[in-house]
Amino acid sequence: MGAEGQNYALFVDPDISADCRNLLPSGMVVLGSADADEPAPAPGRSCLAALVSPLNAPGWRVRLREKGLADLPVIEVDPASPERASQNLFGLLSQRMQAAERELGEMRAASAMLRREGQSDKTRFRAIESFLYALGEPQIARSLSWDPTGVIGHMTRDTVLVQRLPIDAVSITAVDLWLPDLPRNRDLGLTVAVIDAKGETLEMTEAYGGQETRSGWVRYLLDAPLPGDPRNCSLMLRYTGAARLAVGMGPRVPDPRFAAKGDGFDSDMVLALRVWKAVAGASLPDEPLVLHSPLGDGRHARFLSAGELPEPELFAKPASATDYVTADYWENEDAIMVHPSRSGPVCAVLRDVALPKLSHITAVVTVGHPQAPNLNLAVGVAPAGLVGRDGFWQGRIGPWVHGLPALGWAQAHCVPSEPIRDRADIFLAASLAHDGPNDLSWALFRGLRVVTGAPLDEAEE
């Protein structure tokens, strides 16, 4: 092996060079010079020891010490008994190997410690993230939405339908399917499951969703959001009923891999569905939240999400407003956004909501953008159509929540000033807490908690 292939070298006394050349690879031999100036190894090579004649050993030690190499081992080689020099050399190499293995072990131990610390930090970060989300960040969001297009597919007995999803499996907690037959017959024998890239099948539980079910959407829930690393997933539908099951289809897709696959499903369309993801252990409720008063006075409490309410309309804004104002429903966030003006408050209205014998109403509000200015928010209510006649909406709202900061959460309350016997208009108002540009002023109304004298389900029928 040439010198360029060696990482190590040995100083060799010229007096014993002939004997050493027969024992050592030629690339490792660096001869000492006759004038006592032994050369240094080439750059990047390390000298292991000096092999010298017993007669020249004292002089070599002196010269090595003068050159700052006092720690370099000196091995005396007697040509008459080379086995002793061989033992010393191999003992030296064994020590170097043991030292290298010890250093490698220490490096592995340090790497393992860093890995454990990194995992611990990651675990703590997830706990902190969970805590912060629990303090007020949105815990549930719609990650995928394919609306029905009017095309209906049919599943027959023992049909299996697979729909690949263009999102990863992590945090999936619920799936809504558009099944127009299911509200009329609750026992259709349909099984819905999520299959991840590992082949693990997680069956979902059907949840009666009240108003959503009446519109054709049926919700299926997992016990908890899917954990783990991001991975591909599919939705599997297995039907064991006797009659044909109608399944709503969504839009066409350019990539055939994502089309719904199964017996009788050969088109390039996807299933009509909505996929919900949750964080921090949150999950969508499997029943509408209906609470009965412990006083037994016949009152009923119900939480209405933004998606269960009518589309918002911009009801009032300052006459001098020239900046951007709007009221809109954000489907992916399931929230109603009211964007106020620098010139004054802006009010949106939700018209003709069934609230029989309404006692009071509470809105869950938040400032949605991290760079938003501080906002004031309020909720109000009046008999349906009344404010349209007199226009005085400010007198129907409750106390303002003042100066809510960016990403802040709060509740706004209102007790109606007029009796609400049957149906009502709900007013959502927002304004800037101080004078400044209204950029990114996202006043989000996440939902409403209403207390009524009669169940809402009965009023909707």
Side-chain angles (χ1 to χ4, degrees), residues 142 176 208-215 219 274 276 284-285 287-290 302-312 329-331 334-336 350-355 423 426 445-450 456-457 460:
R142 187 183 301 174
D176 297 338
Y208 179 71
Q211 183 64 34
E212 286 190 348
T213 302
R214 293 190 187 110
S215 65
R219 176 162 296 166
R274 298 168 180 170
W276 299 83
L284 292 173
E287 293 286 347
L289 181 59
V290 179
R302 171 82 175 266
F303 184 83
L304 302 174
S305 66
E308 297 179 81
L309 298 167
E311 287 287 334
Y329 170 63
W330 284 4
E331 185 178 20
D334 194 21
I336 296 172
L350 310 176
R351 296 189 184 276
D352 199 30
V353 182
L355 298 174
R423 309 187 77 83
I426 301 172
F445 292 79
R446 292 284 180 179
L448 300 173
R449 183 180 184 272
V450 297
L456 296 188
D457 291 339
E460 293 169 356

Side-chain angles (χ1 to χ4, degrees), residues 163-165 167-169 172 194-197 231-235:
Q163 171 69 69
R164 293 185 62 176
L165 302 179
I167 56 175
D168 66 79
I172 289 180
V194 174
I195 304 176
D196 66 6
R231 56 198 185 277
N232 297 333
C233 64
S234 302
L235 193 67

Side-chain angles (χ1 to χ4, degrees), residues 106-381:
E106 293 173 352
M107 291 175 60
R108 288 177 175 172
S111 298
M113 181 180 67
L114 291 174
R115 204 160 44 244
R116 288 194 300 271
E117 290 179 352
Q119 292 173 349
S120 177
D121 290 342
K122 187 175 182 180
T123 301
R124 286 196 295 270
F125 174 78
R126 287 179 176 174
I128 293 172
E129 182 184 39
S130 174
F131 176 71
L132 292 177
Y133 270 107
L135 286 179
E137 286 291 334
Q139 296 189 4
I140 301 170
R142 187 183 301 174
S143 298
L144 178 63
S145 181
W146 288 332
D147 290 331
T149 58
V151 178
I152 301 295
H154 291 89
M155 299 182 67
T156 56
R157 188 179 183 88
D158 297 328
T159 297
V160 176
L161 182 61
V162 177
Q163 171 69 69
R164 293 185 62 176
L165 302 179
I167 56 175
D168 66 79
V170 177
S171 299
I172 289 180
T173 187
V175 175
D176 297 338
L177 295 173
W178 202 69
L179 306 173
D181 286 349
L182 201 54
R184 296 191 295 271
N185 183 358
R186 306 299 302 177
D187 300 318
L188 291 182
L190 180 65
T191 301
V192 179
V194 174
I195 304 176
D196 66 6
K198 301 177 182 178
E200 184 177 0
T201 300
L202 299 168
E203 188 170 333
M204 309 185 81
T205 303
E206 179 191 343
Y208 179 71
Q211 183 64 34
E212 286 190 348
T213 302
R214 293 190 187 110
S215 65
W217 289 104
V218 182
R219 176 162 296 166
Y220 291 85
L221 296 171
L222 291 170
D223 294 335
L226 292 180
D229 298 323
R231 56 198 185 277
N232 297 333
C233 64
S234 302
L235 193 67
M236 182 188 71
L237 281 63
R238 185 186 301 275
Y239 180 58
T240 58
R244 293 200 310 170
L245 173 63
V247 179
M249 304 302 293
R252 302 182 187 277
V253 288
D255 190 340
R257 294 177 300 169
F258 291 98
K261 302 295 183 182
D263 295 338
F265 292 82
D266 299 326
S267 67
D268 57 353
M269 305 181 75
V270 298
L271 291 177
L273 54 80
R274 298 168 180 170
V275 180
W276 299 83
K277 286 193 174 186
V279 297
S283 60
L284 292 173
D286 56 356
E287 293 286 347
L289 181 59
V290 179
L291 304 176
H292 296 276
S293 170
L295 301 178
D297 58 0
R299 295 185 181 181
H300 303 266
R302 171 82 175 266
F303 184 83
L304 302 174
S305 66
E308 297 179 81
L309 298 167
E311 287 287 334
E313 302 174 22
L314 188 61
F315 184 77
K317 68 176 183 177
S320 59
T322 58
D323 49 4
Y324 177 75
V325 297
T326 189
D328 194 10
Y329 170 63
W330 284 4
E331 185 178 20
N332 286 346
E333 289 285 341
D334 194 21
I336 296 172
M337 193 273 283
V338 179
H339 200 292
S341 169
R342 182 177 183 176
S343 302
V346 169
C347 180
V349 63
L350 310 176
R351 296 189 184 276
D352 199 30
V353 182
L355 298 174
K357 300 179 182 179
L358 178 70
S359 171
H360 61 274
I361 187 170
T362 299
V364 179
V365 297
T366 179
V367 179
H369 198 282
Q371 299 178 8
N374 291 11
L375 300 179
N376 308 318
L377 301 99
V379 63
V381 64

